[in-house]
Amino acid sequence: MNRRDFLLALGGLGAGATAASAGAALLGRRDVAAGADRAAPTIRLEAREVTWELAPGRTVKAMAYNGRIPGPEIRVHEGERVRVVLANSLSEPTTIHWHGVDVPNAMDGVPGVTQRPVAPGATFAYEFDARPAGTRWYHTHFDEQRQMDLGLAAPLIIEPAEKEPVGYDREVTLVLDDWATGMGKPVPPTDAGTAGGRGKAGGMMSGMMRRDSGMDGMMGGRGMGGMMGGRGMGGMMGRDSEPAHDVMTINGKAYPATEPLRVKKGERVRLRILNASAEHTHVLRLAGHRLTVTHTDGNPLDAGVEVDAVPIAPAERYDVVVTANHPGAWFLHCTQPGHVEAGERMLMVYEGHARATPPAPERGITGLTLWEYGMGRGRAVLPVATGDTRNVVLTLGGGMMGSEVWTINGKQYPDTEPIRCRKGDPLRITLRNNSMEAHPMHLHGQSFRVLSASGVRYEHPLVKDVVDVEAHMGSAVVEAVAHNPGDWLFHCHKPMHMMGGMIALVKVG
Ligand code: C2O
Ligand code: CU
């Protein structure tokens, strides 16, 4: 067997993974030179139903790739040909979307748009060049509201061809996820998104809702939506379609089942954090340490930005570097109300401190420096535009009185107006949010620069593929270079909102 020709044997992946990878299954391909040859090794993924133990005594029926949650981490080099054969052993159709990867349109995994759903018992071969480098991921794009929530998501790491301007000794991938098990107390929603994570309601309400102002308790910690006819009313009016998330996991496990991260003093650990949650924004913090943000949705910043905590909307990724300079035992945890109790914490233990008692996680965010888009300077990594700027304005609406109708310019997909542009055009999308919830909007097939958000223009736009548009008249302007021909979804990454209609089609011709 060719050294490059490896298979993802069912469940056998973990064998080679050490504690250093914190449960992430590395495919052990470091001996393959970047782009040395373009023969595509075959990666086999099988989607099937499993029973999964989130924590002792909390076993759920779930869906997994190769029997694990999150699915196996795929690691490839930039430019390398990737071939993944998906075998569908579920009793329902499925597909895979390669989130953040500039795949050819036919490989994008959107049922009814780029491919037919993969039927139960059938297989489908995905093949594409791994581009651009960075923390990407893959997940089901069929009935995501169920299938993704049940576990069909995993990291895809594309290692850059050129050395990165980031110093670190080793790396660990952390996948955050929310679960609706029906066994626990539902966690308060995080409708105000990343703004909410920073203690604001977002948009025009910014600054009116400090979490430390005492209003938090009054409104059940759910932002203004609770008072203003968003979800709060919905609850009262019997909106029961919303799954009640009651368990929060890191790499498929809830504390105390989360795998501790063991470090040596002086080490620099790169964390690739990915929020695979359906509904919840997380705010990650590591007690006793600061986090240096180096990448946004996989794309490098000019320089690292040191913060105390990082709010992460659904589908967003942040790479952060931790310098292990404060020996002891500490919790890496989420500061959102109820998330620690629901399991979202893991230990970081220094060598020689195995018996240390970690301080209890602090929930407050008062006085902390929290990451926001304006803090980073993005690097110019997008292709150069050749055409004229195509300007579109999309107004996000819906969710009124607890409904699950979500709209773009007043229409529900597939009735939303398609956005047409020519290959090479800069595509500038202005987003206005008339609804009571933040929407993490994601573009398939190409990344964009975030030019401004809620009225603040950024001098050095970040490169991302998800932008969290603040609630309550919040806004954002993003600009992609439409370099990838085909029909691409632009949608809210909360599956409930997407399936409720918040999708527009971008047609690049
Ligand atoms: Cu992460 Cu339409 O997808
Ligand atoms: Cu949304």
Side-chain angles (χ1 to χ4, degrees), residues 40-55:
T42 296
I43 297 168
R44 294 186 191 281
L45 293 176
E46 184 200 36
R48 67 176 160 94
E49 276 153 37
V50 295
T51 50
W52 185 256
E53 192 181 78
L54 298 169

Side-chain angles (χ1 to χ4, degrees), residues 333-356:
H333 67 94
C334 182
T335 71
Q336 297 275 43
H339 287 209
V340 160
E341 292 76 2
E344 198 176 354
R345 58 170 149 159
M346 60 183 269
L347 274 170
M348 180 170 100
V349 186
Y350 281 70
E351 195 179 66
H353 293 259
R355 295 227 185 83

Side-chain angles (χ1 to χ4, degrees), residues 483-500:
H483 67 89
N484 203 352
D487 292 351
W488 306 101
L489 293 198
F490 182 54
H491 66 87
C492 178
H493 217 283
K494 289 181 170 178
M496 291 290 286
H497 296 188
M498 174 184 153
M499 296 174 90

Side-chain angles (χ1 to χ4, degrees), residues 109-192:
V110 182
V113 176
T114 69
Q115 71 168 100
R116 271 206 293 269
V118 184
T123 62
F124 188 90
Y126 291 95
E127 202 167 328
F128 55 87
D129 292 338
R131 255 186 212 103
T135 306
R136 314 287 161 196
W137 61 303
Y138 63 98
H139 60 77
T140 174
H141 220 292
F142 186 91
D143 195 6
E144 278 172 273
Q145 183 187 325
R146 269 185 70 248
Q147 290 193 354
M148 204 167 80
D149 225 23
L150 288 175
L152 291 180
L156 164 59
I157 310 299
I158 303 180
E159 296 181 345
E162 276 161 44
K163 200 177 146 12
E164 289 192 282
V166 181
Y168 61 95
D169 301 307
R170 65 196 179 86
E171 60 176 79
V172 170
T173 305
L174 303 177
V175 178
L176 313 178
D177 205 355
D178 52 9
W179 294 80
T181 71
M183 290 187 273
K185 183 166 153 265
V187 168
T190 54
D191 292 351

